[in-house]
Amino acid sequence: MSKHLRWQVVITLLGIALLGSLLAYLAFTFAMVIVPAVGGTYVEGLAGNPQYINPILCQYNQVERELCSLIFNGLTKLNERGEVIPDLAERWEISDDCLVYTFWLRRDVLWHDEVPFSADDVVFTVKAMQDAGYRGVPYLAELWQSVEVVKVNSHTVKFTLEEPFAPFLDYTTIGILPAHLLAEVPAESLPKDPFNLHPIGTGLFQVEEVTAEHALLQANPLFYGPQPYLNKIEFRFYPDHESVLGAYERGEVQGISRVLPQDLPQAVEANSELQLFSAQLTGYTLIFLNLQDPELPFFQERLVRQALLYAINRQELVNSVLKGQGLVAHSPILRGTWAYDNGVVRYEHDPDQARDLLTRAGWHNPTTNGEGKDSVREKAGVKLAFTLLTDDDPLRVELAEEIARQWEAIGVKATLRTIGSGLVREFLHPREFEALLIDLELRGDPDPYPLWHSTQASGEGQNYAGFVSYEVDKLLEEARCTTDSGRRAELYRRFQEIFADEVPSLLLYYPIYTYAVDEKVKGVQLGPMGDPSDRFRNVTEWYIVTKRVIKLDK
């Protein structure tokens, strides 16, 4: 071998050794890690269909609210603690007399069609709800009709209230509509406008397509906040929650908008790749009693109402019917909020106490004049019997059947009637019921005025039980007019004491919301929820696509 060739071999071997040393150094110094990457479409199944993807018309429909939460923004929004924080507004000020709220708007917001957002949009949205032709929920019209809205300049808006109203900021979370697209549409015509299925918002996602089968949203590149990893979200519509679970098992969707308690065993046992997330919803399930119907004199007796509550084994309902997906409710103020009284009187299951209360109130078994469990109690020729109304949801039907069985054991006859649709519009709102089992969704400020103040017991008010108490009225009125949270908590504590004593309706439980996504979807978190749409609170952190990057090992 020539001398020249030998040097080439030596140099080659040295190069290999050097490269090996370098690779060894890199292996010890750097690590390959998997991180989220932009891209991918998340597909979720929803039970129902949208009709009004419009933030001032969507309150009756859960599917619509969930779409609106991604497409629109309000001046403010609620964080996981239920606190009001800025959104389209950068900041606000409240006058010393608590009557004037001035909002300064962000200047970097564009609508999905690239038109700048301004104070005109805020004023238009409020005036649409103030209009006599507004077809949305009555409580929004009632609130905004008492508020004067003024455009100070292109990015400043001022609201003036007739009297101090502590929960006002909560109402500023409602999504804002684009004036440049809807200013010429009369309020009464808004429900029929094509905008409702082809909406333009300011939100994190914008509409690409909406059909009877699905809604396809794509990430909004103009969004003023952090961009999501996901490129698109597709919502597929199914007739019910059970069908959504079946769609996941067929591989049609990656997420299940809500897993109902009765479906939990199947979801857990048959789907090892399904991740379950649970959180308490800010609402409660209860039985409204119609206290105003003269043909139901027993509901006007406090001892009877107390007996009905003592007779219900609510913990057993949670355990057996809800599969643990609920917490027994002892107050109309939501537990976990600053206004909740942990010391409120609790009605533990006690059927003997229930029978004793009915006897003290003069309701006796007609055959034994005693404590027989099989016959319906009577007083002055009136039977302690009524109709228990609910919708045809299998869970609520099972709840109602079990409650009726427990009441029968103390001599109370409840005849179950289920309604396929229209329970709220045709029976609850016009107060065409005797007793009605329903879920109530509450969020934000704990103000119980709409549901329990006597002025709300008729017309468009939400005091569906018809509860009237002069002391409660005074407490709720004062609480609304002070921004001192300590004083408000004191007033609400007394309200809870009266509610527990009077039992104007029968609180059952605070529901637990269970959401499910495939393990391929990462970054999902679930905190306290004011509405099921709050599951998207951290959607910017969700991802499906990943990439490998070198990480320096320090």
Side-chain angles (χ1 to χ4, degrees):
M1 182 182 295
S2 68
K3 184 177 180 180
H4 178 70
L5 183 57
R6 284 198 300 270
W7 275 111
Q8 285 184 328
V9 172
V10 171
I11 292 172
T12 300
L13 292 174
L14 287 173
I16 292 172
L18 181 61
L19 178 60
S21 299
L22 178 60
L23 290 175
Y25 170 77
L26 291 174
F28 281 106
T29 308
F30 296 92
M32 297 296 293
V33 295
I34 297 175
V35 298
V38 174
T41 299
Y42 168 66
V43 184
E44 180 172 302
L46 298 180
N49 290 84
Q51 185 177 2
Y52 308 120
I53 308 176
N54 181 319
I56 71 171
L57 297 176
C58 69
Q59 283 69 31
Y60 287 121
N61 184 300
Q62 184 59 50
V63 172
E64 294 167 1
R65 293 205 301 274
E66 293 175 4
L67 289 168
C68 284
S69 73
L70 295 169
I71 297 167
F72 295 94
N73 301 92
L75 292 176
T76 63
K77 60 184 178 182
L78 299 175
N79 65 14
E80 63 277 3
R81 295 180 297 277
E83 300 165 332
V84 179
I85 60 175
D87 196 353
L88 290 175
E90 290 183 331
R91 60 187 177 91
W92 59 85
E93 284 184 1
I94 306 173
S95 62
D96 292 340
D97 60 6
C98 298
L99 295 178
V100 180
Y101 291 70
T102 304
F103 286 80
W104 285 268
L105 311 181
R106 299 181 65 112
R107 295 176 177 271
D108 57 350
V109 180
L110 296 175
W111 292 96
H112 294 156
D113 59 2
E114 303 188 28
V115 174
F117 163 74
S118 74
D120 292 328
D121 302 306
V122 179
V123 172
F124 164 75
T125 303
V126 172
K127 289 189 177 297
M129 292 184 287
Q130 293 175 334
D131 196 287
Y134 172 57
R135 296 292 181 262
V137 290
Y139 71 84
L140 285 178
E142 180 182 2
L143 179 280
W144 287 108
Q145 284 169 2
S146 66
V147 177
E148 178 188 18
V149 56
V150 174
K151 171 185 173 181
V152 177
N153 56 47
S154 64
H155 285 83
T156 310
V157 178
K158 182 171 67 176
F159 300 104
T160 303
L161 282 58
E162 295 177 351
E163 60 182 8
F165 179 52
F168 175 70
L169 280 176
D170 280 58
Y171 288 83
T172 63
T173 61
I174 192 161
I176 302 299
L177 290 168
H180 68 282
L181 296 176
L182 296 172
E184 301 304 318
V185 179
E188 61 270 18
S189 300
L190 191 56
K192 300 177 182 179
D193 197 88
F195 177 89
N196 296 309
L197 290 179
H198 305 281
I200 298 294
T202 55
L204 183 63
F205 286 85
Q206 59 191 42
V207 172
E208 183 173 313
E209 179 182 63
V210 177
T211 69
E213 291 75 34
H214 80 148
L216 183 61
L217 311 183
Q218 61 181 356
N220 171 19
L222 307 175
F223 188 64
Y224 51 86
Q227 284 288 319
Y229 292 113
L230 298 172
N231 275 342
K232 296 183 180 183
I233 295 179
E234 180 184 5
F235 293 105
R236 295 186 182 177
F237 307 132
Y238 296 89
D240 49 47
H241 291 285
E242 184 179 7
S243 299
V244 178
L245 178 56
Y248 173 78
E249 294 175 340
R250 294 190 301 272
E252 296 175 9
V253 301
Q254 299 160 299
I256 302 171
S257 61
R258 185 170 191 178
V259 181
L260 297 180
Q262 63 266 33
D263 295 329
L264 271 175
Q266 178 184 349
V268 172
E269 295 169 10
N271 303 285
S272 60
E273 297 181 348
L274 193 61
Q275 306 173 94
L276 298 179
F277 301 87
S278 296
Q280 179 184 325
L281 276 173
T282 53
Y284 49 80
T285 298
L286 80 166
I287 297 174
F288 277 120
L289 305 177
N290 192 331
L291 308 183
Q292 299 292 327
D293 190 337
E295 296 183 7
L296 306 169
F298 37 80
F299 283 159
Q300 297 167 28
E301 298 182 28
R302 179 173 58 89
L303 295 183
V304 171
R305 300 194 298 269
Q306 291 178 344
L308 291 174
L309 189 54
Y310 271 123
I312 302 174
N313 191 338
R314 294 178 291 171
Q315 188 59 59
E316 179 58 27
L317 292 177
V318 168
N319 294 343
S320 61
V321 180
L322 301 181
K323 314 302 182 190
Q325 299 300 292
L327 300 166
V328 173
H330 301 291
S331 169
I333 300 288
L334 299 179
R335 55 176 285 167
T337 67
W338 55 266
Y340 180 75
D341 179 12
N342 283 311
V344 68
V345 172
R346 303 186 174 200
Y347 286 72
E348 306 296 348
H349 180 229
D350 191 341
D352 290 335
Q353 173 78 331
R355 295 186 190 99
D356 180 61
L357 289 171
L358 292 177
T359 300
R360 285 168 51 193
W363 294 91
H364 298 285
N365 184 297
T367 57
T368 65
N369 198 32
E371 304 309 321
K373 298 181 181 180
D374 298 324
S375 299
V376 179
R377 291 173 180 259
E378 296 182 6
K379 183 168 75 171
V382 176
K383 289 184 177 294
L384 189 43
F386 52 88
T387 298
L388 176 58
L389 195 65
T390 192
D391 61 25
D392 59 358
D393 178 273
L395 176 68
R396 277 183 286 279
V397 171
E398 187 177 355
L399 282 169
E401 289 174 342
E402 179 57 24
I403 290 169
R405 187 192 66 76
Q406 294 177 7
W407 280 338
E408 187 176 15
I410 64 166
V412 175
K413 178 64 174 177
T415 301
L416 178 61
R417 180 186 175 192
T418 60
I419 302 299
S421 62
L423 181 70
V424 173
R425 293 179 185 270
E426 298 174 23
F427 295 91
L428 181 65
H429 284 175
R431 289 133 172 104
E432 294 293 334
F433 66 89
E434 297 180 353
L436 188 146
L437 171 62
I438 196 169
D439 298 337
L440 290 184
E441 294 178 357
L442 309 172
R443 62 182 303 173
D445 193 277
D447 175 31
Y449 182 103
L451 287 167
W452 306 110
H453 192 279
S454 65
T455 60
Q456 306 302 301
S458 60
E460 299 292 346
Q462 299 176 70
N463 181 354
Y464 302 117
F467 178 52
V468 175
S469 165
Y470 175 76
E471 184 178 359
V472 164
D473 285 352
K474 299 299 290 182
L475 292 168
L476 300 187
E477 289 165 11
E478 183 180 347
R480 276 195 150 192
C481 294
T482 177
T483 56
D484 181 342
S485 60
R487 175 58 179 161
R488 290 186 76 200
E490 181 182 328
L491 295 166
Y492 288 149
R493 189 174 300 112
R494 176 58 184 151
F495 160 70
Q496 290 168 85
E497 291 174 355
I498 296 172
F499 191 99
D501 183 54
E502 291 290 335
V503 192
S505 286
L506 311 177
L507 302 174
L508 298 179
Y509 59 87
Y510 306 114
I512 298 295
Y513 180 91
T514 300
Y515 179 50
V517 296
D518 190 87
E519 64 181 6
K520 295 183 179 67
V521 183
K522 308 295 186 182
V524 179
Q525 295 180 3
L526 208 60
M529 301 170 66
D531 184 85
S533 62
D534 289 338
R535 68 182 181 277
F536 299 119
R537 188 179 280 128
N538 81 317
V539 72
T540 56
E541 299 171 29
W542 298 12
Y543 63 95
I544 297 172
V545 179
T546 60
K547 61 183 178 181
R548 291 179 178 272
V549 298
I550 296 176
K551 179 183 179 182
L552 182 63
D553 188 10
K554 296 182 179 179

